[in-house]
């Protein structure tokens, strides 16, 4: 239970608490001035709210007639999937479809070719060239790229 | 779920059941009236007379509850009638697991809260510079007299209090109206709002905290 049983005060004021909880709350109230003041305020608020005047009543005969008319109208109304689509909605959809079909497609973005990446790919595909490492280590990779690409036909001389 | 007493009448309409009608529900209607749950079963079978009886039984409560939540007679009439319409359309779905009044209040409160949300959205869209207080100005009573020492009249106190109720959150407001005005127990309020009893207690506690300040001079 709360240190102060704040949330039990409204049920207490309405006499809704179970006997055991009522006993615990009463025991707390006996020793807590703040909660006794809070309970008094709760009772005052509830009394004011309960004394609120009722709203002016409608003419019940007319009320029931309106209700009956509402029920009859709802029974006559077609289901939403059978309702004719409003002209404005139809026109809007048709326009949107037409624009979609006629709108020029966005140009495909031409990314600049990453030559370095291509080179790495080409080189990676030719890792077998490490068998001829003595040739490779003498090459400037960037300047002799053509040589690397054609490595399999470059004659290897013994001794360098 | 069968009644614990072992005796009861299963109400059925077509292929769908409505629920158990036990002697307790008969006794609860002291003047020998047909229980609400039985009337609802007849409404599901398109008994127009049963529907009229239900409406007559609940029209005042429904209108008062809607008015307390919305504070507008036109909206109260509209929402309460819509709640009856929903009962008419979906009476066959009432399973009897709760009392009819709980089921009906749940429909009505949900409609009222939805209506209020839509209206607040519209007010903000139409007059976005106006706060909630200004938007509700037409419903307010005249302000107290200019003399700050003047004792507020009882009517002005009540107006201040109900203005404060309108400023509560939807759930707090519904809990207060159902608990205080409709005299529902915490358990019944919890069933209507489909929340736990401790949550109802918290809503009521917080609402009363706000309202207490309005009562103090």
């Amino acid at each position: 239970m709360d240190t102060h049983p704040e949330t039990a005060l409204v049920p207490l004021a309405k006499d809704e608490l179970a006997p055991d909880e009522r006993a615990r709350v009463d025991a707390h109230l006996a020793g807590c001035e703040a909660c006794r003041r809070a309970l008094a305020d709760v009772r005052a608020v509830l009394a004011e709210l309960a004394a609120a005047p009722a709203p002016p009543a409608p003419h019940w005969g007319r009320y029931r007639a309106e209700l009956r008319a509402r029920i009859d109208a709802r029974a006559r109304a077609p289901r939403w999937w059978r309702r004719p689509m409003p002209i404005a909605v139809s026109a809007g959809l048709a326009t949107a479809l037409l624009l979609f079909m006629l709108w020029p497609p966005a140009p495909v973005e031409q990314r600049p070719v990453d030559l370095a990446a291509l080179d790495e790919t080409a080189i990676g595909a030719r890792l077998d060239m490490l068998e001829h490492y003595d040739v490779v280590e003498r090459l400037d990779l960037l300047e002799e790229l053509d040589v690397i690409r054609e490595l399999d036909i470059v004659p290897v001389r013994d001794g360098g | 779920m069968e009644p614990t007493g072992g005796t009861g009448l299963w109400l059925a309409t077509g292929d769908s059941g409505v629920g158990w009608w036990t002697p307790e529900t008969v006794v609860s209607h002291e003047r020998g009236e047909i229980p609400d749950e039985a009337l609802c079963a007849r409404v599901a079978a398109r008994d127009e007379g049963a529907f009229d009886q239900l409406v007559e039984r609940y029209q005042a409560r429904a209108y008062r509850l809607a008015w307390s939540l919305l504070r507008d007679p036109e909206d109260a009439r509209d929402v309460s009638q819509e709640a009856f319409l929903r009962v008419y359309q979906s009476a066959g779905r009432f399973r009897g697991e709760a009392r009819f009044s709980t089921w009906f209040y749940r429909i009505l409160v949900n409609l009222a809260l939805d209506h209020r949300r839509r209206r607040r959205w519209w007010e903000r869209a139409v007059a976005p510079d106006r706060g909630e207080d200004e938007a509700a100005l037409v419903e307010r009573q005249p302000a107290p007299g200019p003399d700050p020492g003047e004792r507020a009249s009882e009517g002005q106190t009540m107006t201040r209090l109900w203005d404060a109720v309108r400023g509560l959150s939807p759930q707090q407001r519904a809990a207060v109206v159902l608990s205080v005005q409709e005299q529902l127990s915490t358990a019944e309020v919890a069933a209507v709002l489909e929340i736990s009893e401790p949550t109802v207690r918290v809503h009521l506690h917080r609402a009363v905290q706000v309202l207490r300040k309005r009562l103090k001079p």
Side-chain angles (χ1 to χ4, degrees), chain B:
Chain B
M1 186 173 73
E2 292 188 8
T4 52
T7 58
L9 183 66
W10 176 255
L11 302 177
T13 56
D15 293 331
S16 61
V18 172
W20 286 97
W21 177 32
T22 67
E24 286 71 31
T25 57
V26 175
V27 169
S28 68
H29 295 269
E30 296 164 359
R31 287 178 288 164
E33 295 174 335
I34 300 171
D36 298 339
E37 292 74 17
L39 282 178
C40 187
R42 295 185 188 182
V43 172
R46 285 294 169 260
D47 181 342
E48 300 293 338
F51 180 68
D52 290 341
Q53 282 189 62
L54 267 181
V55 171
E56 199 165 334
R57 235 179 242 187
Y58 279 88
Q59 62 191 14
R61 275 180 276 181
Y63 181 77
R64 182 180 63 225
L65 177 55
W67 186 82
S68 296
L69 291 172
L70 299 170
R71 306 301 284 182
D72 180 272
E74 292 287 331
D75 290 346
R77 194 164 70 232
D78 187 36
V79 167
S80 60
Q81 286 175 352
E82 183 65 26
F84 283 121
L85 174 64
R86 298 288 177 98
V87 167
Y88 185 84
Q89 290 176 328
S90 56
R93 280 190 236 139
F94 174 64
R95 312 306 294 181
E97 289 148 352
R99 285 163 48 179
F100 171 81
S101 58
T102 302
W103 183 63
F104 178 65
Y105 279 148
R106 188 182 299 152
I107 292 171
L108 179 55
V109 168
N110 285 337
L111 284 171
L113 296 184
D114 285 346
H115 185 92
R116 183 167 175 257
R117 264 194 296 272
R118 282 197 304 271
R119 190 175 70 182
R120 287 184 67 184
W121 176 88
W122 176 249
E123 284 170 354
R124 277 199 291 269
V126 168
D129 298 330
R130 294 193 326 188
E132 158 129 10
D133 287 346
E134 290 185 46
L137 200 57
V138 290
E139 292 189 47
R140 289 194 167 187
Q141 299 294 324
D147 184 351
E150 181 182 322
R151 187 173 170 276
S153 71
E154 188 178 308
Q156 289 167 341
T157 301
M158 196 171 297
T159 300
R160 250 198 341 266
L161 205 61
W162 278 101
D163 282 348
V165 169
R166 198 169 43 228
L168 298 173
S169 75
Q171 291 275 301
Q172 288 172 359
R173 185 176 185 169
V176 166
V177 171
L178 289 169
S179 176
V180 180
Q181 193 160 287
E182 300 303 316
Q183 295 288 307
L184 298 191
S185 68
T186 302
E188 288 169 329
V189 174
V192 170
L193 299 181
E194 296 183 285
I195 55 180
S196 68
E197 288 185 46
T199 303
V200 172
R201 286 193 179 191
V202 170
H203 284 325
L204 290 174
H205 165 66
R206 289 180 180 162
V208 168
Q209 291 294 101
V210 170
L211 300 177
R212 278 170 75 183
K213 294 174 188 167
R214 288 301 182 108
L215 273 187
K216 303 218 183 268

Side-chain angles (χ1 to χ4, degrees), chain A residues 37-50:
Chain A
R37 281 202 305 272
L39 178 62
D41 287 347
V42 165
R43 290 200 163 115
V45 167
L46 296 185
E48 285 289 341
L49 289 174

